[in-house]
């Protein structure tokens, strides 16, 4: 059984940083692309960032480019999202997701992901 567990969320002020982690169990991450998505209050779940199975390619939503960095440590079966210069619009529940693929295309497509975590809340105050 696959389990993805997010951690690292919290309440911070605008301009602060947070680092989210996603630890995987029951799945070898080296065979999966990983993504981070977020759901703001009253909105649907949206793509934030993704990283290919080997870490060679990364993708970001325009709204987070230059501020967020996705990375992975396959030896630890963990994916990270470093979030800098946080803004109130970054508020939401952040979900980690895994897609069983070694391809590089379409990693921003929510419905292509096979496994999801329960989410971690990030709240940015102004």
């Amino acid at each position: 059984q696959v389990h993805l567990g997010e951690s690292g969320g919290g309440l911070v002020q605008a301009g602060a940083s947070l680092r989210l982690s996603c630890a995987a169990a029951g799945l070898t991450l080296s065979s999966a692309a990983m993504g981070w998505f977020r759901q703001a209050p009253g909105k649907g779940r949206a793509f934030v960032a993704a990283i290919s199975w080997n870490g060679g390619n990364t993708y970001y939503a325009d709204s987070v480019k230059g501020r967020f960095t996705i990375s992975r440590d396959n030896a630890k079966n963990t994916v990270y999202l470093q979030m800098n210069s946080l803004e109130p619009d970054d508020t939401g529940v952040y979900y980690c997701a895994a897609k069983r693929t070694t391809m590089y295309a379409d990693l921003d497509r929510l419905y292509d992901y096979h496994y999801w975590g329960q989410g971690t809340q990030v709240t940015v105050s102004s």
Side-chain angles (χ1 to χ4, degrees), residues 48-120:
V48 175
I51 187 167
S52 60
W53 67 278
N54 60 356
N57 293 64
T58 57
Y59 309 86
Y60 298 94
D62 288 343
S63 60
V64 307
K65 281 181 183 175
R67 300 188 298 121
F68 290 13
T69 302
I70 188 171
S71 61
R72 64 191 299 158
D73 186 337
N74 285 348
K76 295 183 178 179
N77 244 24
T78 301
V79 177
Y80 306 97
L81 185 68
Q82 177 67 43
M83 306 187 294
N84 298 330
S85 302
L86 282 162
E87 303 169 354
D89 284 348
D90 294 320
T91 294
V93 179
Y94 282 70
Y95 297 91
C96 170
K99 179 179 179 180
R100 286 182 279 104
T101 183
T102 55
M103 304 296 286
Y104 297 93
D106 301 329
L107 298 187
D108 59 340
R109 288 168 40 164
L110 182 152
Y111 295 106
D112 286 356
Y113 281 78
H114 299 100
Y115 306 105
W116 290 85
Q118 292 300 306
T120 185

Side-chain angles (χ1 to χ4, degrees), residues 15-33:
S17 297
L18 282 174
R19 188 193 196 203
L20 304 184
S21 298
C22 172
L27 174 70
T28 302
L29 284 193
S30 58
S31 62

